[in-house]
Amino acid sequence: MECSFGITGKGYTIIASDSNAARSIVKMKTDEDKQKVLSDHLVMTYSGESGDTLQFSEYIERNLRLYGIRNHVELRPRAAASWIRAQIADSLRTRNAYQVNLLLGGFDLPTSEPALYWVDYLGTLATVPFAAHGYGAFFALSTLDRYHRPDMSLEEGLDLLRRCINELKTRFIVDLGTFKVRVVDREGVREVKL
Amino acid sequence: MSDITTLNGGSCIAFKGKNCVAIACDLRLGNQALTVACNRDKVFKITDKTYLGMTGLASDVDTLRSAFRYRLNMYRMKEEREIEPETFAHLVSSTLYEKRFGPYFIEPIIAGLNSNNEPFIAAADLIGCLNFAKDFVVTGTASDKLFGMAEGLWEPDLGPEELFESISQALLGALERDALSGWGAIVRVITPDKVIERTLQSRQD
């Protein structure tokens, strides 16, 4: 029942995820942050098998940090996404593969372009203008198809995200509660209240 | 529906012409019936005159693409020349057969002109059994429909422009009848002096 969204616009990427920690039918926590800030201009949302998500996201976070320290330069979003994809794809053919779905939102400084990558537990990497994981994808992708434009301002982008979440509120049987939202742009990563 | 080879959807086709070959693919990336992205090119440049198309599990397509890039770079450095499409087909076959009992879930097609500018096309199954066809090869979720279209539209000794026309019609016709492929197409016609690359519009549903 987890759900995350990503939307790119003019010079920014919005990343949002629900904040429920649930086990079976029980809601354990409603203020869980299911995102990791990987570098100055890269954020990742993770969902999937609960033990795997934390283990994997911390592994990714620490390794990207190590790369930054060793090389005095952060990986660009595209490079980070390919490396993360390779980690999932390698793990897929082991006895206990990571069951983690990711959205990677970033801002590529050299080209001044926002970047968004959809990655699933099989190691499928898609470069997309907007994306969703979980049941939310079935409800929100058509809304995103209809209203998304690549030149949207940040306010328009956040309005579009509100529209998607509103769609879930009205049509999805589960209440996903509040969403944690982060924006990545030239200035870096910051949290935004919807 | 839970078949791993048809999870992501997508199709590829290659036609042999007169001193030219054409290779084309659709652009859809899905997750069962849900379309995730509509910009997924499934054909990759191997050399200036050889292209490789891969359909099946998208994760394995990406993995093999980098595996082939590594092997081709090694080949280029050792041999100090570009690989022939015939040789590349065997490289693909042996790479796939290495994983005989836990295969990559992809089916490749290869299209190219060799150093004598003779057209070459080939296809393989997921464990690398090669098929050197003299007319056309198809793979992907629309492969059965592509066989039908290609059977009807392919003719021997087509020139580059006629070949482009017939491969495009064959692919678009097949995509219309396959729910897991579509969302546009890219066609590449390889001729001795240039590669003509064109993006096709198709139904967006």
Side-chain angles (χ1 to χ4, degrees):
Chain A
M1 296 294 178
E2 288 176 307
C3 175
S4 47
F5 296 114
I7 301 171
T8 60
K10 197 175 177 166
Y12 66 87
T13 307
I14 304 171
I15 286 285
S17 51
D18 71 286
S19 29
N20 291 337
R23 188 177 167 184
S24 179
I25 54 163
V26 184
K27 202 183 277 178
M28 298 289 197
K29 202 165 176 261
T30 54
D31 59 350
E32 175 86 339
D33 184 0
K34 290 187 263 193
Q35 301 180 357
K36 280 258 184 298
V37 179
L38 299 177
S39 69
D40 287 350
H41 294 92
L42 192 63
V43 200
M44 171 173 87
T45 71
Y46 50 87
S47 54
E49 190 73 30
S50 44
D52 290 359
T53 50
L54 200 69
Q55 190 78 16
F56 185 74
S57 61
E58 284 181 359
Y59 172 72
I60 296 300
E61 186 189 29
R62 293 297 100 197
N63 271 285
L64 290 182
R65 182 79 192 97
L66 177 63
Y67 184 95
I69 293 168
R70 275 188 179 157
N71 301 292
H72 306 289
V73 64
E74 297 289 351
L75 278 181
R76 288 168 69 174
R78 174 84 230 179
S82 309
W83 181 76
I84 294 167
R85 188 210 82 82
Q87 297 310 301
I88 297 182
D90 284 348
S91 118
L92 186 66
R93 286 172 203 276
T94 63
R95 208 110 74 93
N96 37 14
Y98 289 116
Q99 303 235 340
V100 198
N101 299 313
L102 311 167
L103 288 180
L104 284 152
F107 185 83
D108 187 34
L109 281 177
T111 58
S112 292
E113 292 284 338
L116 179 64
Y117 302 98
W118 180 97
V119 185
D120 75 358
Y121 73 100
L122 296 167
T124 315
L125 174 72
T127 315
V128 281
F130 50 81
H133 264 307
Y135 284 111
F138 297 107
F139 293 90
L141 281 182
S142 45
T143 307
L144 288 162
D145 270 324
R146 177 65 184 78
Y147 295 106
H148 181 270
R149 281 177 290 110
D151 62 341
M152 294 175 106
S153 70
L154 180 58
E155 207 35 60
E156 287 176 300
L158 290 169
D159 278 340
L160 179 55
L161 178 62
R162 283 189 198 102
R163 251 193 154 121
C164 295
I165 294 169
N166 202 35
E167 191 67 33
L168 292 179
K169 281 220 164 61
T170 48
R171 288 290 168 192
F172 192 35
I173 48 166
V174 182
D175 177 20
L176 290 171
T178 54
F179 273 73
K180 183 82 130 180
V181 185
R182 283 196 173 85
V183 172
V184 201
D185 56 15
R186 180 174 293 283
E187 270 68 61
V189 182
R190 64 177 186 281
E191 203 183 318
V192 170
K193 283 269 173 287
L194 264 192
Chain B
M1 268 305 257
S2 63
D3 177 14
I4 200 84
T5 55
T6 58
L7 184 89
N8 298 122
S11 304
C12 262
I13 180 170
F15 270 24
K16 201 187 263 189
K18 187 174 185 164
N19 300 320
C20 59
V21 283
I23 184 165
C25 67
D26 73 320
L27 292 176
R28 183 177 180 269
L29 171 76
N31 199 240
Q32 300 206 41
L34 181 80
T35 302
V36 172
C38 358
N39 55 1
R40 186 90 183 179
D41 192 358
K42 295 163 188 77
V43 173
F44 309 108
K45 186 178 175 179
I46 299 303
T47 69
D48 287 343
K49 288 190 286 181
T50 306
Y51 282 74
L52 165 71
M54 289 188 279
T55 60
L57 186 67
S59 171
D60 284 347
V61 171
D62 283 349
T63 305
L64 277 167
R65 188 189 172 187
S66 52
F68 288 135
R69 187 169 62 186
Y70 170 76
R71 289 182 177 208
L72 282 161
N73 286 342
M74 294 304 281
Y75 184 94
R76 237 177 246 127
M77 284 191 287
K78 277 184 188 148
E79 303 278 330
E80 297 183 337
R81 65 188 165 95
E82 290 294 335
I83 198 164
E84 293 286 325
E86 290 87 344
T87 323
F88 180 66
H90 284 100
L91 174 73
V92 170
S93 168
S94 56
T95 307
L96 291 173
Y97 198 78
E98 270 179 12
K99 296 276 187 285
R100 170 62 179 83
F101 296 109
Y104 293 116
F105 296 99
I106 65 115
E107 294 194 341
I109 58 175
I110 297 128
L113 298 177
N114 66 17
S115 47
N116 301 321
N117 287 327
E118 288 154 343
F120 172 86
I121 55 168
D125 67 1
L126 79 169
I127 53 169
C129 176
L130 283 170
N131 159 27
F132 300 108
K134 54 185 183 301
D135 40 14
F136 55 81
V137 284
V138 300
T139 64
T141 52
S143 61
D144 43 359
K145 296 110 192 165
L146 282 167
F147 266 122
M149 289 304 294
E151 205 76 72
L153 293 177
W154 184 85
E155 290 170 47
D157 297 328
L158 291 175
E161 281 306 318
E162 303 153 304
L163 192 68
F164 166 77
E165 197 62 37
S166 67
I167 197 171
S168 302
Q169 291 299 339
L171 182 62
L172 291 176
L175 296 186
E176 291 286 277
R177 284 291 175 184
D178 186 37
L180 299 178
S181 308
W183 292 94
I186 296 186
V187 183
R188 292 173 176 89
V189 182
I190 307 159
T191 64
D193 45 282
K194 64 176 188 297
V195 176
I196 308 160
E197 184 176 319
R198 292 193 185 117
T199 306
L200 305 179
Q201 292 275 323
S202 74
R203 279 169 65 116
Q204 304 288 299
D205 61 3

